[in-house]
Amino acid sequence: MIKTLPNGVKMPQLGIGTFKISESSEAYETVKYALEVGYRHIDTAQIYNNEEMVGQAIKDSKIPREEIFITTKYWGFSNEANMEKAFNESLRKLQTDYVDLYLIHWPNHDEAITARTWAFLEKLYEQKRVRAIGVSNFQKHHMESLLKTAKIVPMMNQVECHPGLSQVPLKAYLDSKNIMMTSYGPLMKGSIFKPPFFDTLDVIAHRHNVSIPNIVIAWGLQRGIFMIPKSVTPSRILENFQSQFIKLSNEEMEAINHLNRGNRVYADPDNTPWGSYRE
Ligand SMILES: NC(=O)c1ccc[n+]([C@@H]2O[C@H](COP(=O)([O-])OP(=O)(O)OC[C@H]3O[C@@H](n4cnc5c(N)ncnc54)[C@H](OP(=O)(O)O)[C@@H]3O)[C@@H](O)[C@H]2O)c1
């Protein structure tokens, strides 16, 4: 399933996440197998410490570079020289001369610093060193601040999103600005296998004769969200990929939407320990 970003760039809606796969042989084998299965979208980040292995696996797959969509993310809040250094380092490790989607990993608590970082991404975009640019972990207020100075509207916001945090208001806001959304942490660090989520999801999974992760991934895809489940286990990599072939009814979508509890299993973007605060 391919979706088109606001600037016309095509992006596979289902990708593989690579957070916490920093052991090099594991990162290499995971990406290599995912590409064999059919994934063409890899989500990595400077901070994941695996770009080198992602790049090697892509190279060894012999799949033409232009058939694979790579997202990576800038970590930090530094000056332009250091951002340039970080971006070049990502390119070197990924063995490529462009990135498909480059994201600011987290907003800074000081919006002026976030605006400066965004201006650097805009420059990369204008220089055609990235095909699309976006942000991650932006709440509505972060986006509104950014849009005050942005020359280019972000094409993507990658945020925590799963049945316990369905992000319906944020998604509606992003839709109104023509910004696409990617879900991270779709499996809620295992909480989808526990009440109250398990009960509803298990009934739907049995009805379709698939797994609970399949149902959660299918629910995100059907909402028009990009999904990047992570697994290092070959059977799960394959299983997750098959989620795109599941069609949920409107009632099933509604039942999952009703599981929202506003539960975060990752950091709250308004209260992270990273970045600096305006005095
Ligand atoms: N932008 C951000 O700040 C941010 C933050 C977090 C994550 N992300 C991105 O989003 C991706 C996905 O999020 P995530 O890694 O946190 O979590 P996730 O995809 O929700 O879950 C990964 C965990 O679920 C297990 N799993 C995967 N498929 C399964 C299946 N079919 N059945 C049972 N268990 C399964 C994995 O185990 P095994 O690996 O052992 O199979 C792993 O422990 C990340 O890898 C990363 O690329 C972005």
Side-chain angles (χ1 to χ4, degrees), residues 61-76:
S61 75
K62 306 263 188 300
I63 298 167
R65 168 68 184 89
E66 63 275 15
E67 289 178 22
I68 299 174
F69 193 99
I70 306 175
T71 300
T72 192
K73 315 179 191 90
Y74 170 68
W75 182 268

Side-chain angles (χ1 to χ4, degrees), residues 19 43 136-137 158 185 187 230-233 236 239-240 266:
F19 183 39
D43 185 86
S136 179
N137 295 298
Q158 182 181 123
L187 309 185
K230 168 264 173 186
S231 177
V232 296
T233 313
R236 291 172 173 173
E239 173 186 320
N240 294 345
Y266 276 97

Side-chain angles (χ1 to χ4, degrees), residues 124-176:
L124 292 177
Y125 182 71
E126 279 156 6
Q127 293 171 339
K128 300 196 188 318
R129 295 159 80 195
V130 292
R131 296 175 69 227
I133 49 175
V135 296
S136 179
N137 295 298
F138 273 44
Q139 312 266 54
K140 180 180 175 186
H141 72 90
H142 294 117
M143 196 64 89
E144 283 179 334
S145 297
L146 188 74
L147 293 178
K148 282 191 251 161
T149 54
K151 286 189 284 172
I152 300 171
V153 176
M155 291 139 206
M156 179 65 71
N157 188 14
Q158 182 181 123
V159 293
E160 180 178 340
C161 175
H162 42 64
L165 182 72
S166 57
Q167 299 277 24
V168 169
L170 180 64
K171 170 89 171 41
Y173 169 73
L174 295 175
D175 285 349
S176 77

Side-chain angles (χ1 to χ4, degrees), residues 14 39 213-214 217 229 231 236-243:
L14 179 60
Y39 289 83
N214 279 143
I217 298 163
S231 177
R236 291 172 173 173
I237 294 173
L238 178 60
E239 173 186 320
N240 294 345
F241 192 67
Q242 285 160 345
S243 309

Side-chain angles (χ1 to χ4, degrees), residues 88-206:
N88 284 330
E89 193 65 6
S90 288
L91 289 184
R92 185 188 65 75
K93 289 181 174 169
L94 291 164
Q95 302 192 42
T96 181
D97 54 7
Y98 68 93
V99 164
D100 295 280
L101 176 62
Y102 198 46
L103 306 178
I104 298 181
H105 208 140
W106 288 87
N108 196 284
H109 302 294
D110 180 340
E111 64 184 48
I113 295 178
T114 305
R116 184 184 71 194
T117 310
W118 184 248
F120 175 70
L121 267 67
E122 290 176 325
K123 189 169 153 190
L124 292 177
Y125 182 71
E126 279 156 6
Q127 293 171 339
K128 300 196 188 318
R129 295 159 80 195
V130 292
R131 296 175 69 227
I133 49 175
V135 296
S136 179
N137 295 298
F138 273 44
Q139 312 266 54
K140 180 180 175 186
H141 72 90
H142 294 117
M143 196 64 89
E144 283 179 334
S145 297
L146 188 74
L147 293 178
K148 282 191 251 161
T149 54
K151 286 189 284 172
I152 300 171
V153 176
M155 291 139 206
M156 179 65 71
N157 188 14
Q158 182 181 123
V159 293
E160 180 178 340
C161 175
H162 42 64
L165 182 72
S166 57
Q167 299 277 24
V168 169
L170 180 64
K171 170 89 171 41
Y173 169 73
L174 295 175
D175 285 349
S176 77
K177 300 285 176 197
N178 201 21
I179 299 167
M180 303 218 145
M181 193 172 112
T182 299
S183 140
Y184 75 69
L187 309 185
M188 285 185 83
K189 293 192 173 165
S191 288
I192 55 166
F193 299 108
K194 298 179 194 151
F197 310 104
F198 174 84
D199 313 79
T200 302
L201 295 171
D202 194 48
V203 169
I204 301 173
H206 270 94

